[in-house]
Amino acid sequence: MKHPSDAPHSIYGVEKWGKGLIEVTEGGEIGLRNPLAPDAPAISLPGILHDLDQRGIKSPMILRISSYLESEIAHINESFRDAITRTGYKGSYRGVFPIKVNQQAQVVDRIVEFGKQYNYGLEAGSKPELVIALAHRLAREALIVCNGVKDAEFIQLAILSRKIGFNTVIVLESPKEADTVIEVYKELGIEPLLGVRVKLTNQISGKWEESSGDRSAFGMNTDQLVAAVDKLRDAGLLHCLKLQHSHLGSQVQDVNDVRRAVGEACRYYTELTREGVPLTHLDLGGGMGVDYTGEKKATENSINYTVEEYCANVVETVAYAMDEAEVSHPTLVTESGRAVVATSSMLVFNVLESTLYDAPNGPKAEPDDHHMVSDLAAVHGYLTRDRLQECWNDATFYRNELRALFRRGYVDLRQMARAERIYLSLMARIKALVASEQDETDVDDQLEKLADIYHCNFSLFQSLPDVWAIDQLHPIVPLQMLNQTPDRRAVLSDITCDSDGKIDRFILADGVSPSLPVHTLPEDEYYMGVFFVGAYQETLGDLHNLFGDTNVVTIDLRADGGFDLLHEQEGDTISEVMAYVEFDPSDCVAAFRKMVDEAISTGTLMAKDRKTLMSAYRDSINGYTYYE
Ligand SMILES: Cc1ncc(COP(=O)(O)O)c(C=O)c1O
């Protein structure tokens, strides 16, 4: 794929997806801009890594930028505030952050602290998340919204928390949950603050289509809704029902879906009001998307709206529907997760080595070569720009025939090795000819199959689970040498020994590509960054191959172009990940020691080597799970 612009880095499309946060510096490095100090120069990301390295903090690491998190919280809250003022909306906005999207203490603590000025609250989808939420001192008017399946203990804790000033709303997911709430209320004698989750029939297009509409797992249909309302009325608790919850979906790609779903949610709200339910809050759940590719289109990894447009659409739709039904404007609640945290984290790792599928110099033909080896070598003689496809076809044919002959025993190992080497040298020349062409050539697509493999120090399963599981795209780009034209193309393979552990879809300026333009590996470290990984990735990661959590570093960008290290969380050690899977590290040391001692008894190991073996085992157990 060719790119017209002069700057070598333009091929990566950083201007398109970088959101004004990520850019390429004059020195050809990825730079981070501070959205809270727009005039400050971009800070070199490799420079930050170098500084952290000197402090003993190594990659791979998740780098969190506190200023990015704060800027997104401010952006969403202020966009709602502006839309409310502009529309003359008579209610207010109270956002809550869904803890499940990033449960890391550093993130939740920061969101709560910074969010206080906006009365920003938390959403808890489980008992542990409620326990976390209740350990935070929220602003007086902030909400805690409890979703998900709840047992009596969950409900009891939620009701009791009201006694110490929390506005904890129990969102009923089913009529059965209404029964449990009524029972707990009778035991405690304390009134709950309640919500009902209504299942919308409108389906939201995109990756999470199944989580919306009739077949979604959570919430009540009309029949169940009426049953729950009747139960509350009979128990004398209808006056506690203040909030209607209608989750829109996740990563909603088309803003028209927002309007449709919000319109439907309003119909339920006005009908419930007509039924005598004293609703005051309309919670529209999550769904505000992130434009990972920067395309600004309604596609799986992009969205066709801005934060401002999302907020304006919600406010206008609710205002219109409420005015039409002559119902007071409710307090608007949303539970945006992805849009709040995605941009604030990046995964940074180093490339360990490369496997190349071309070679600079092939051996010359020799008289006693197998005739197919001579035919293969002869392709060099007619390889020109005009005959690229023909040469590609011939080289591949002869190489495949020779492989078949080798398997049947007609070609020996040395002949086969010569053939492979000649083939790789032909590929090197074909790649060079293609690279010098301005227009697409016939063999562009075939060459993608010959992309290098860059072996990288990270685990896809631990750090980028959505890339593996649901083809999520994140911007990925080398962090340095961006003033030099990338001379190779590669797919990225992780450090797990699993063939699934690779990335072969990349966002580039002119679309999604099966390989990433990269540079020949320099002597120094060559770093890669994967951007916008703050939502879901850290919490869904698993321990495949027992690669644990990476180091996590939180920094703040200063207005003077420097940065402050706010927090360092060391990644898992091997003994920690062993404990997760129920291995006791001291038992393992004892078992290993026993085998060492037996080997000394039988004479296969010298007594003086015992210490070296035991310290190697112990050092490994106490070390980082990643390549050091
Ligand atoms: C009930 C609820 N609220 C909020 C969210 C967060 O959604 P998002 O990250 O798309 O904003 C989800 C995620 O699916 C959810 O199920």
Side-chain angles (χ1 to χ4, degrees), residues 301-317:
N301 294 286
S302 180
I303 51 174
N304 67 356
Y305 55 91
T306 60
V307 171
E308 287 81 0
E309 276 173 68
Y310 179 97
C311 299
N313 272 286
V314 167
V315 174
E316 284 167 17
T317 310

Side-chain angles (χ1 to χ4, degrees), residues 98 100-101 123 147 197 245 247 249-251 285-288 335-339 536:
K100 70 172 168 209
V101 181
E123 185 261 0
N147 291 319
R197 180 147 174 189
H245 184 296
H247 175 55
S250 198
Q251 182 68 11
M288 191 191 286
E335 304 176 354
S336 293
R338 182 188 301 276
Y536 300 103

Side-chain angles (χ1 to χ4, degrees), residues 99 103 108-109 112 122-138 144-147 151 153-158 161 164 166 168:
I99 296 178
Q103 300 117 329
V108 179
D109 292 352
V112 168
L122 294 169
E123 185 261 0
S126 66
K127 239 183 309 184
E129 288 180 2
L130 177 59
V131 168
I132 289 174
L134 293 176
H136 289 84
R137 206 174 282 278
L138 299 175
I144 294 181
V145 178
C146 300
N147 291 319
D151 61 9
E153 194 177 57
F154 190 161
I155 289 168
Q156 189 182 26
L157 183 61
S161 71
I164 51 169
F166 283 105
T168 314

